Amino acid sequence: MNKRFTAFLAAGLATAFAAQPAAARTVYGDCSITVGGKVYLNIKKTCRIDLESDGSFQINLNAKKPSYFAYVSILDGGFANVSWNGVEKASHADTLLGEDFRRSGGCWIGRKGKVCAIKR
């Protein structure tokens, strides 16, 4: 390989690795998932909360006792996209609750539901 190509390749790899998102930080606390007024998940003190650097998070993902879990992904303008697995023990959070969720304290509230996560 010539020197210019090697330098270009090294710069490209450095940029690609630097652009990778930071790993999630796991904490435990209280969490809940409410959809259509029905509470599907309500865990005190022991709920696994995986926090991303941009404020996005997942609750109850990879829990010892699988049930319901949700993803809250931060969007522009103070909104969040929220999805959950919708069926107890289902392995994918492919049911979109909406992109209209806004933060209120430790909860994100939208037209179709509410997801809360509070570190203890």
Side-chain angles (χ1 to χ4, degrees):
M1 275 192 250
N2 70 36
K3 289 182 183 180
R4 283 197 312 202
F5 180 75
T6 303
F8 174 77
L9 182 61
L13 288 173
T15 301
F17 284 111
Q20 297 299 315
R25 181 172 64 100
T26 301
V27 298
Y28 291 86
D30 302 343
C31 69
S32 64
I33 300 172
T34 304
V35 178
K38 180 179 177 183
V39 177
Y40 286 87
L41 181 74
N42 189 17
I43 299 174
K44 301 295 183 194
K45 299 181 184 175
T46 61
C47 181
R48 178 181 169 150
I49 305 166
D50 295 311
L51 305 167
E52 302 293 335
S53 60
D54 70 349
S56 299
F57 63 92
Q58 300 86 42
I59 60 169
N60 207 40
L61 185 64
N62 298 322
K64 291 179 183 176
K65 183 181 175 187
S67 62
Y68 293 100
F69 61 92
Y71 287 93
V72 176
S73 302
I74 303 301
L75 302 172
D76 291 334
F79 290 96
N81 170 314
V82 176
S83 60
W84 72 312
N85 57 338
V87 175
E88 190 171 21
K89 299 181 184 177
S91 62
H92 294 86
D94 55 5
T95 302
L96 178 66
L97 291 177
E99 295 183 339
D100 64 335
F101 282 72
R102 285 206 173 265
R103 185 174 180 181
S104 177
C107 298
W108 285 85
I109 302 168
R111 191 171 40 84
K112 291 184 179 178
K114 176 169 70 170
V115 174
C116 300
I118 302 167
K119 179 183 168 186
R120 295 288 177 204

